[in-house]
Amino acid sequence: MTYAVRYYTKTGNTKRLAEAMARELGVEALPISEPVTEAVDILFLGNSFYAFNIDPEVKKFVGSLDKTKVGKIVNFGSAAMLNSTYNKVKAEADKVGVAMDSKEFHCKGEFKGIHKGRPNDDDIRAAVEFVKQYK
Ligand SMILES: Cc1cc2nc3c(=O)[nH]c(=O)nc-3n(C[C@H](O)[C@H](O)[C@H](O)COP(=O)(O)O)c2cc1C
């Protein structure tokens, strides 16, 4: 199995998840400003909700993916209130014909004093456990 890990972050929460997951997979966690140029079986894509949507940069990044190079996307991230960006990311992935795994990792993310410290150590441990199923 070959992997890539990309993330978009505004306040660092997704980066922390991405780095822990990437370490477990033996790859580097990179921001989405780094295009996926190599063929990968699984692209782990970290992203979050901002004002009820995913960031336009995340949409652009997913739109730039080459379905002949990316086997599937595994979505992961955190949010303060909403549960999952899965459907938003899938809407973009569908446009370029890249498959999305039905499983994803999601946890609470600190925002303006809500869910302080999240993702916390338990969240990070859960994210690492989550990626083990793909090894
Ligand atoms: C500008 C901004 C807008 C946000 N809007 C939402 C939102 O609409 N719904 C929600 O559940 N969380 C919202 N959040 C919370 C983030 O999704 C949460 O803090 C997440 O962990 C941020 O990840 P990051 O640190 O990688 O950017 C918002 C956060 C920011 C900074």
Side-chain angles (χ1 to χ4, degrees):
M1 281 283 191
T2 52
Y3 313 104
V5 178
R6 293 292 186 280
Y7 63 87
Y8 177 86
T9 188
K10 282 191 193 297
T11 65
N13 295 343
T14 314
K15 184 176 185 203
R16 283 174 43 229
L17 289 173
E19 286 179 343
M21 293 163 86
R23 196 174 311 121
E24 178 64 30
L25 294 166
V27 297
E28 203 184 345
L30 296 172
I32 57 172
S33 52
E34 299 285 337
V36 178
T37 51
E38 74 281 18
V40 291
D41 295 315
I42 306 177
L43 168 62
F44 291 85
L45 177 59
N47 59 92
S48 295
F49 268 116
Y50 308 102
F52 303 98
N53 212 335
I54 54 175
D55 192 89
E57 288 297 318
V58 174
K59 293 185 182 180
K60 207 160 83 184
F61 173 76
V62 175
S64 77
L65 296 174
D66 180 345
K67 69 175 178 192
T68 67
K69 285 191 170 167
V70 176
K72 65 179 171 183
I73 294 171
V74 174
N75 196 54
F76 71 92
S78 63
M81 292 147 308
L82 299 170
N83 277 330
S84 157
T85 59
Y86 186 92
N87 290 338
K88 299 276 185 196
V89 174
K90 186 166 189 305
E92 304 305 315
D94 284 350
K95 289 180 194 167
V96 287
V98 176
M100 291 257 308
D101 198 293
S102 59
K103 297 182 290 295
E104 68 167 345
F105 179 80
H106 181 84
C107 66
K108 293 295 182 197
E110 180 172 344
F111 176 50
K112 291 188 173 174
I114 309 168
H115 306 305
K116 234 177 173 13
R118 306 285 301 271
N120 58 22
D121 289 350
D122 284 346
D123 297 320
I124 299 287
R125 264 193 293 275
V128 169
E129 280 308 308
F130 173 81
V131 299
K132 285 183 181 170
Q133 69 190 294
Y134 297 98
K135 289 175 79 178

